[in-house]
Amino acid sequence: RSISLDLDHSPSIDRSRIAAPMRMMRIFQGSRRGSSAGAWLLFLLVMGCNRSSVHAYKSPEGQDDAVRASELSIQYENLVICDQTSIALYEADNTMEIPPCIIYDENPTTGDDNDDENRTSILTVVGVFSSAAHVSYDGAVVLARKINQDNEGMGGKIGYNGDYYLKIRLVIGIAGNSRQLSSQEYSQNQQHLLESMLIALQPQYILGSCCDPSLDKPLAGKYQTMVLSQVGPEGFYTAEDSNEYVFGIHIPSETYGLPAYQSLKFALPFQEQRAKQKVRVVYSNRSLFLRSTCETILHRAIDEGFEMTQGLEWDPNLDADKDGILNRDDEDFFIDLADEICSKEEANENVAIWACFDSDFSTNVLLQRLKYNGCRPSIFWLTQATWDYAISRFPENVHYMQGGAQWHKSMLYSDEYFETGQHMVDHAAAEFGYSPHYGILGSYHALYMMYQNTLRYFKTQDIPDVDDAYANRYEDIRRHMWGITVSQSIYGPTSFNENRRNVGRGSAGVQWAVPPDSESGEFDMLLVSPLDQATASVIVPSPAAVECEPGSYINKSMILTQDSLLVDKCDVCPLNTFHPVRNADHQCRSCTRGFTNQTGSVDCFEYEENLVSDGLIVFGYILMSMNFALAIFFGIWTWWYRKDPVFQVSQVEFLELICIGSLLSSSAIIPLSIQAGVLDDTTAAERACTAIPWLYTTGWILQYASILAKSARMYQVMQGVTTMKRVTISAANMFKIVALTLAVNWALVLPWTIVDPFTWERIELGVTVDEDTNTVVLESIGRCDSDNLGAWAGSLLSFHFIIMIMTNGFLWTLRAVNDRYQESKYITLASLFACEFLILGIPILLAVKDSADARHAALICIVAFSDMGILLMLFLPKIYFQFKGIPEGASVAQTILKKGTPGSFRNVQSSFSRTTDNNHVQGSFSANNNLQSSWRTNNNAQSSFRSDPNASSSFKAVLEDPNSESTGRSSRASQRNLSSRIEVGLEAVNEASNEISGDQTAEQSHDLLLHNENIDPVGDHHTEEVNIEKTEVTAEQSEAGYMVSDSTLQDGAGMIEPVEDT
């Protein structure tokens, strides 16, 4: 057994060549028919028969492994553990020297090796990497730790019954800082360190590097140890220096550009289309990856009918234009290269581009030149679209660009340790303290395939002897790896082709676009292939290559100024230009003279806007100004002559309100005249429409409610005559009527404004199209309208009609009052005037609704002439009566009622109550009982008047015209004869006048008795109150020219009127 152990662990023995003798020896021992010595005898016999294939492996110089190990510049046994973490090593700059060291040695325990019940085997894996290749081994560390901790630290289950276990020993060495060492120095370090580890540790697998993977291949073949390389190009595995121990865990990078190519084929399903599509494939021959990735697309496109395909290969280390600058650093070189890809003449041909570049400088110069040329590629596939160039450095440049990768975070592949690859990436980030890219999954999956190959190889064995199998049946295990298929892993399905490449699934095709469910509108790298994992559909052709919609054009300035080459370059046609069809033009067509349009139009328009003519608008403003002038004039006149009886009895407060209402109502002509054309801003018109019902209805209500209030006030006063009661009605009480009607009016207008507002709308009347010139004549009319205009306007008109009826009703009851003080006749005429305009205007409005001028004329006439009628009919008669004055010899009270007025209003005696400032003081100027009694009891005076006809006639003349000279001359003698008798009567008058408030004289009191009125109110700034009381008319009053019937105050059927003789 000691000999057997020595053979099994000797690195210089070819295991495949001693496998058969070893199996025969164990079979012989197991038959129990021979001794151990016999078994070894048989082994030596077989070896002797096959001694030509049993030998110690020699180096090319003929040295054995011990000698070779001593010659290596790096000895595994002498290495120490690295003093920095993997991320710290990665962040080292090109000046930091990092000596070779061991970054990880995951060396799990298996228990006592002499214990026959020890069921745990160790699988040894080694790898050597640059200090900058942390993701290429950290993923394997994650899996090794997961496996070793599995089943409560026993390791992964192996064998048919699952009662044996397997653990992983993972040893990772760092060969140095590849940024600081020369290429030759680093290659020597990596090769010597890996070979030293192979000799010392006898591993079953090599974890392939990524920095210079070609260094792994010769050692894998030399030591016949499988290496799972993290390299994409197919040529790496078919090259002459490759061997059958090299396996590729990565998806072939040649397939990276295929999803974009397939999308182009799908967009061009017919051969005629493909034959016309220009395809440019440009790549650097610097690396196998760049060249093989783009050459695959080049050959595929040519073979499949894209006849206008051109490949542009360039060498970064040459000086193509002989200017002393290498191509990789020469801006002029990349400008010329861009012109070959897409010149200015080809700008509208939507070239499809595949660019295999690996430097920011070359990519940015290329993109900038393509923008300058005005190119709009249908596809732009870029190797750097999945690198840090796109993710962090220049994300604004790659919108809608496509790329390829091994894996994408949206893939939902899983294994027994992680639900998805993204979960594994997140786990590694938490464990190692940095955010790794998808490369960390490659090293994880490489170790996972070594582990799965071992588990599946022993799946049917009750007693899996891992050490024996890897020592004696390594070739079988290698072939098993070649034929294995793992359908579930976080890397996706995995299997190997004839070149030992992973072809279990397609590569991850990506495109930078806005996610379908994005609310922010930010671009992200979306997975578009393979289809069973895709989260978005590929966008082909790019928005930049799509023809512009009618009404837009290709804006070249957008191509030059926008960061991304592939975003939409279409812009709407400017004002007065158009484009009728889909296009790729760089400008729109100009409209024919006299026509216009809005931006983004497909035709030019001549708008028949049917706006109200300027002359008619001016006419409306003239009418409004006339009403304003009348209202202001009448308001000032009323205030100036507010103490005149005509205006006092007509109630100044309400006359002023009527003027204000007329101003408001007529001001509705202003918003009625505001309009907006088709292309105009409608904000002002919208606001004007809202203001119209408020202004007009409020003004109208103020006018008619004021007339209603003043009429109601006079009506109540006249009613007091009937009942012979003192009636006091203040103006404040009547203002409640105005407030109430306004409230009801606004209660109708407010919901109209909120629920169904009056808005400016333009209604199309007709369209005339000229297809030859792409011109359209649009006829429309604009007006204020609402959805339920009839209902709202009808409710307001009904309310206003009720107010008008009530107003005229009250005025009818006051028809007995002289026209001097009430307006029934004139308001009725004004109401009829307004109704006539409504009756005529509404049908006219309906008939001419499509004529802006006729409609506007009807509206302003209704508004203006209604207000003008009220003002003229109300105020002109009052001014006339004011100028005319009270009839000679008549008092105010005598002029209140019309001549010949029947009814209960024939005996009216007025008195005036004055209120100074805020102190309401009422003074009664009626003849009191004492005064009347004095006249009645003074029989001497009365009989004197009765007994002397001359005196009676003379006194009558004095009463009729006290200042008349003729009267004085004719009756002077009679008056002297009666002077003594008059003095007796005047004394009685003087006694009664002492009880009258104010400074009235006896003569005024006498006049009060004879004429039943006080026409000389006391004090200034006072209000009136009408006081009705019973009066008694004497014979002297009858002689003075007024006759009262016997039934004056009894049946209310008499009247007061002048008579010719007694």
Side-chain angles (χ1 to χ4, degrees):
R1 287 181 180 173
S2 61
I3 295 175
S4 174
L5 289 174
D6 290 339
L7 292 174
D8 288 348
H9 290 85
S10 174
S12 61
I13 299 297
D14 187 341
R15 297 184 185 89
S16 62
R17 296 173 186 256
I18 67 171
M22 290 295 294
R23 283 197 299 272
M24 293 182 66
M25 182 186 73
R26 288 190 174 95
I27 292 172
F28 184 81
Q29 285 180 319
S31 65
R32 299 183 181 277
R33 288 181 294 190
S35 62
S36 297
W40 279 109
L41 180 61
L42 178 60
F43 172 78
L44 293 175
L45 178 62
V46 175
M47 288 294 293
C49 297
N50 194 29
R51 62 179 179 270
S52 61
S53 61
V54 179
H55 62 277
Y57 179 81
K58 300 294 183 180
S59 63
E61 292 79 9
Q63 299 172 328
D64 59 19
D65 286 340
V67 176
R68 175 60 183 161
S70 64
E71 293 177 349
L72 297 175
S73 60
I74 301 175
Q75 301 291 329
Y76 166 74
E77 293 83 357
N78 299 330
L79 296 182
V80 298
I81 299 298
C82 299
D83 58 359
Q84 298 183 72
T85 63
S86 61
I87 184 61
L89 293 173
Y90 167 76
E91 293 173 347
D93 58 25
N94 57 5
T95 63
M96 181 179 292
E97 181 179 355
I98 300 175
C101 58
I102 302 299
I103 183 69
Y104 293 114
D105 187 356
E106 301 294 321
N107 190 10
T109 59
T110 60
D112 189 355
D113 292 337
N114 296 322
D115 185 1
D116 292 338
E117 294 300 321
N118 184 8
R119 295 172 175 265
T120 302
S121 300
I122 300 294
L123 190 67
T124 302
V125 181
V126 299
V128 177
F129 298 86
S130 162
S131 61
H134 58 312
V135 296
S136 298
Y137 54 81
D138 276 347
V141 174
V142 171
L143 180 60
R145 292 172 179 175
K146 283 287 185 180
I147 293 173
N148 294 338
Q149 295 167 4
D150 206 2
N151 297 305
E152 299 180 352
M154 297 291 290
K157 292 182 178 180
I158 191 173
Y160 181 77
N161 296 313
D163 52 357
Y164 284 79
Y165 300 94
L166 180 67
K167 287 188 176 182
I168 306 294
R169 183 184 183 188
L170 179 64
V171 183
I172 303 297
I174 300 299
N177 184 356
S178 59
R179 300 166 181 167
Q180 183 260 336
L181 298 173
S182 66
S183 176
Q184 183 177 358
E185 290 174 329
Y186 175 78
S187 297
Q188 179 178 319
N189 282 0
Q190 178 173 330
Q191 212 164 23
H192 284 195
L193 177 54
L194 178 59
E195 188 170 2
S196 175
M197 295 172 72
L198 289 172
I199 294 172
L201 298 176
Q202 299 282 308
Q204 284 81 27
Y205 294 96
I206 300 172
L207 181 63
S209 65
C210 67
C211 185
D212 194 352
S214 61
L215 301 176
D216 301 334
K217 291 192 292 183
L219 293 176
K222 177 179 178 179
Y223 290 94
Q224 299 178 350
T225 303
M226 284 182 281
V227 56
L228 270 72
S229 298
Q230 302 179 60
V231 181
E234 184 83 10
F236 178 83
Y237 304 93
T238 58
E240 294 181 358
D241 61 346
S242 187
N243 57 75
E244 58 187 2
Y245 291 93
V246 180
F247 288 80
I249 200 64
H250 277 188
I251 305 298
S253 58
E254 290 86 355
T255 64
Y256 282 3
L258 289 180
Y261 174 77
Q262 294 294 341
S263 66
L264 180 63
K265 284 181 60 180
F266 184 79
L268 303 172
F270 303 108
Q271 178 57 40
E272 294 81 3
Q273 295 173 309
R274 297 177 186 176
K276 296 178 181 179
Q277 174 65 56
K278 289 188 176 182
V279 179
R280 298 291 182 266
V281 183
V282 54
Y283 54 92
S284 164
N285 61 12
R286 174 187 175 187
S287 72
L288 177 62
F289 163 70
L290 297 175
R291 185 177 68 253
S292 63
T293 300
C294 271
E295 280 185 343
T296 299
I297 303 301
L298 176 64
H299 298 151
R300 184 75 67 94
I302 293 173
D303 294 342
E304 295 184 358
F306 288 91
E307 298 176 4
M308 302 182 72
T309 300
Q310 181 180 356
L312 301 171
E313 180 180 347
W314 60 280
D315 191 333
N317 296 319
L318 295 180
D319 182 7
D321 54 6
K322 308 300 182 181
D323 60 355
I325 304 174
L326 295 180
N327 292 339
R328 62 171 176 261
D329 301 321
D330 192 346
E331 181 176 356
D332 292 336
F333 169 78
F334 289 112
I335 289 176
D336 293 340
L337 186 61
D339 290 340
E340 291 188 60
I341 295 172
C342 176
S343 64
K344 287 185 176 182
E345 293 72 23
E346 298 171 313
N348 287 333
E349 298 186 19
N350 306 131
V351 178
I353 301 172
W354 273 261
C356 296
F357 285 16
D358 62 352
S359 76
D360 294 356
F361 171 74
S362 59
T363 301
N364 288 337
V365 173
L366 179 71
L367 292 177
Q368 193 61 39
R369 184 62 178 185
L370 293 176
K371 291 180 186 179
Y372 175 79
N373 290 343
C375 297
R376 297 177 295 111
S378 60
I379 284 178
F380 199 116
W381 187 95
L382 180 68
T383 49
Q384 293 165 287
T386 58
W387 299 3
D388 286 341
Y389 172 88
I391 296 172
S392 59
R393 294 196 293 273
F394 300 99
E396 67 280 357
N397 288 354
V398 296
H399 294 173
Y400 297 108
M401 284 190 180
Q402 297 188 57
Q406 290 289 313
W407 176 86
H408 188 273
K409 62 182 179 181
S410 297
M411 289 181 167
L412 302 178
Y413 302 125
S414 63
D415 63 11
E416 58 267 41
Y417 299 111
F418 295 101
E419 293 182 6
T420 66
Q422 186 60 44
H423 284 87
M424 182 267 159
V425 172
D426 295 340
H427 175 87
E431 185 166 349
F432 299 117
Y434 67 92
S435 297
H437 59 71
Y438 72 81
I440 199 169
L441 290 166
S443 59
Y444 177 99
H445 191 54
L447 183 59
Y448 187 79
M449 290 303 297
M450 302 172 192
Y451 175 63
Q452 285 294 321
N453 187 45
T454 304
L455 295 185
R456 296 183 183 216
Y457 183 82
F458 293 103
K459 185 176 181 179
T460 61
Q461 298 184 22
D462 291 333
I463 305 175
D465 190 346
V466 176
D467 295 336
D468 176 73
Y470 274 102
N472 302 310
R473 300 191 296 277
Y474 196 84
E475 177 62 15
D476 293 342
I477 296 175
R478 186 193 69 82
R479 294 182 181 183
H480 186 270
M481 173 71 85
W482 196 354
I484 196 173
T485 297
V486 176
S487 59
Q488 186 172 354
S489 72
I490 61 172
Y491 213 67
T494 304
S495 60
F496 298 100
N497 65 3
E498 65 278 6
N499 296 321
R500 300 166 305 282
R501 297 298 319 283
N502 179 9
V503 291
R505 63 168 174 85
S507 61
V510 302
Q511 184 176 37
W512 285 90
V514 178
D517 56 350
S518 173
E519 296 181 358
S520 64
E522 294 182 359
F523 281 74
D524 195 6
M525 187 169 61
L526 306 181
L527 181 66
V528 297
S529 179
L531 295 180
D532 63 330
Q533 298 289 314
T535 58
S537 299
V538 64
I539 300 174
V540 173
S542 69
V546 176
E547 287 186 337
C548 297
E549 295 293 328
S552 57
Y553 72 107
I554 300 296
N555 190 336
K556 191 171 182 180
S557 65
M558 294 175 65
I559 301 177
L560 293 173
T561 58
Q562 289 179 337
D563 293 322
S564 176
L565 185 65
L566 302 183
V567 298
D568 184 14
K569 308 301 180 185
C570 293
D571 197 4
V572 296
C573 290
L575 192 66
N576 297 329
T577 64
F578 73 101
H579 211 301
V581 296
R582 293 175 62 90
N583 68 93
D585 296 338
H586 288 278
Q587 62 182 6
C588 294
R589 307 175 191 175
S590 298
C591 289
T592 305
R593 185 179 182 86
F595 286 78
T596 184
N597 59 13
Q598 295 177 325
T599 58
S601 296
V602 297
D603 296 304
C604 287
F605 304 96
E606 183 181 21
Y607 293 107
E608 291 289 343
E609 298 177 312
N610 286 305
L611 296 175
V612 179
S613 63
D614 293 340
L616 192 55
I617 291 177
V618 171
F619 175 69
Y621 285 143
I622 291 173
L623 291 179
M624 181 189 71
S625 301
M626 292 173 61
N627 282 351
F628 277 19
L630 289 173
I632 294 171
F633 172 77
F634 289 143
I636 295 174
W637 187 279
T638 300
W639 180 253
W640 187 261
Y641 292 101
R642 63 188 179 279
K643 294 183 180 180
D644 188 277
V646 173
F647 292 102
Q648 279 190 327
V649 175
S650 298
Q651 305 169 64
V652 173
E653 306 92 332
F654 296 108
L655 294 178
E656 297 290 359
L657 272 182
I658 291 170
C659 293
I660 294 173
S662 180
L663 289 173
L664 285 175
S665 179
S666 295
S667 65
I669 293 177
I670 296 175
L672 279 172
S673 302
I674 296 176
Q675 53 189 340
V678 175
L679 304 179
D680 296 338
D681 183 8
T682 61
T683 303
E686 293 280 351
R687 294 172 179 172
C689 290
T690 304
I692 290 171
W694 286 96
L695 290 174
Y696 182 71
T697 60
T698 301
W700 193 95
I701 285 293
L702 282 178
Q703 294 179 78
Y704 270 87
S706 298
I707 298 172
L708 175 63
K710 67 189 289 298
S711 301
R713 188 182 190 190
M714 183 171 287
Y715 172 77
Q716 294 183 42
V717 170
M718 299 306 293
Q719 284 295 105
V721 175
T722 304
T723 58
M724 295 304 170
K725 294 181 180 179
R726 170 173 291 191
V727 180
T728 302
I729 302 104
S730 66
N733 289 333
M734 292 299 98
F735 278 123
K736 294 179 181 178
I737 296 176
V738 179
L740 178 61
T741 53
L742 274 178
V744 174
N745 182 80
W746 290 342
L748 294 173
V749 177
L750 182 61
W752 183 7
T753 304
I754 296 175
V755 176
D756 186 17
F758 221 27
T759 57
W760 179 262
E761 294 182 358
R762 183 157 286 278
I763 300 170
E764 185 176 306
L765 300 179
V767 178
T768 304
V769 179
D770 186 346
E771 296 182 356
D772 294 334
T773 60
N774 288 103
T775 56
V776 179
V777 178
L778 295 177
E779 185 177 4
S780 63
I781 186 171
R783 63 190 180 203
C784 295
D785 202 356
S786 62
D787 294 337
N788 299 292
L789 176 60
W792 296 108
S795 62
L796 280 170
L797 285 175
S798 299
F799 174 64
H800 288 189
F801 186 73
I802 293 172
I803 298 299
M804 185 184 293
I805 295 297
M806 292 177 62
T807 302
N808 284 277
F810 275 116
L811 291 172
W812 174 255
T813 62
L814 298 175
R815 65 190 182 281
V817 179
N818 197 310
D819 293 343
R820 178 189 297 268
Y821 306 111
Q822 60 88 23
E823 306 87 6
S824 61
K825 178 170 63 177
Y826 308 108
I827 295 301
T828 300
L829 290 175
S831 298
L832 292 175
F833 187 62
C835 289
E836 183 179 0
F837 267 101
L838 285 175
I839 292 171
L840 295 176
I842 291 176
I844 291 175
L845 286 175
L846 295 176
V848 299
K849 62 181 181 179
D850 294 338
S851 173
D853 281 344
R855 189 169 180 272
H856 185 72
L859 286 173
I860 63 173
C861 286
I862 290 174
V863 173
F865 289 124
S866 296
D867 294 339
M868 190 179 296
I870 291 289
L871 291 172
L872 294 176
M873 295 292 184
L874 185 67
F875 285 95
L876 286 182
K878 295 191 180 301
I879 295 175
Y880 168 75
F881 284 119
Q882 180 202 355
F883 273 108
K884 183 178 179 182
I886 298 174
E888 185 176 354
S891 65
V892 174
Q894 291 169 346
T895 61
I896 288 179
L897 296 181
K898 296 178 181 178
K899 182 178 179 180
T901 299
S904 60
F905 301 136
R906 59 189 175 180
N907 297 322
V908 179
Q909 180 179 4
S910 299
S911 64
F912 295 91
S913 171
R914 303 295 178 178
T915 303
T916 304
D917 297 331
N918 293 326
N919 299 320
H920 185 67
V921 180
Q922 293 185 349
S924 176
F925 294 95
S926 60
N928 60 30
N929 294 330
N930 293 331
L931 180 59
Q932 296 179 30
S933 177
S934 298
W935 279 90
R936 286 194 295 267
T937 56
N938 195 336
N939 295 324
N940 294 328
Q942 294 180 29
S943 55
S944 298
F945 281 104
R946 294 192 189 97
S947 60
D948 192 340
N950 295 328
S952 177
S953 300
S954 299
F955 190 57
K956 177 181 177 182
V958 172
L959 291 176
E960 290 177 349
D961 191 358
N963 299 319
S964 173
E965 293 184 2
S966 60
T967 301
R969 287 193 301 269
S970 62
S971 60
R972 187 176 295 113
S974 299
Q975 290 177 9
R976 283 196 299 269
N977 295 331
L978 294 174
S979 60
S980 58
R981 299 177 185 178
I982 293 174
E983 289 176 358
V984 175
L986 291 177
E987 288 176 0
V989 171
N990 290 333
E991 290 176 2
S993 65
N994 292 331
E995 299 181 15
I996 298 176
S997 301
D999 298 328
Q1000 292 172 302
T1001 63
E1003 287 79 3
Q1004 290 172 327
S1005 299
H1006 179 235
D1007 190 25
L1008 172 66
L1009 285 175
L1010 294 182
H1011 298 94
N1012 300 313
E1013 70 172 330
N1014 174 21
I1015 59 173
D1016 184 20
V1018 180
D1020 295 326
H1021 311 293
H1022 294 75
T1023 59
E1024 294 181 352
E1025 178 185 276
V1026 179
N1027 179 38
I1028 308 301
E1029 64 179 31
K1030 298 180 180 179
T1031 62
E1032 181 176 332
V1033 182
T1034 64
E1036 287 75 12
Q1037 291 173 294
S1038 298
E1039 290 179 349
Y1042 289 85
M1043 183 181 68
V1044 184
S1045 64
D1046 295 336
S1047 58
T1048 296
L1049 299 177
Q1050 284 73 25
D1051 55 9
M1055 62 181 178
I1056 299 176
E1057 62 176 346
V1059 293
E1060 294 301 325
D1061 53 42
T1062 58

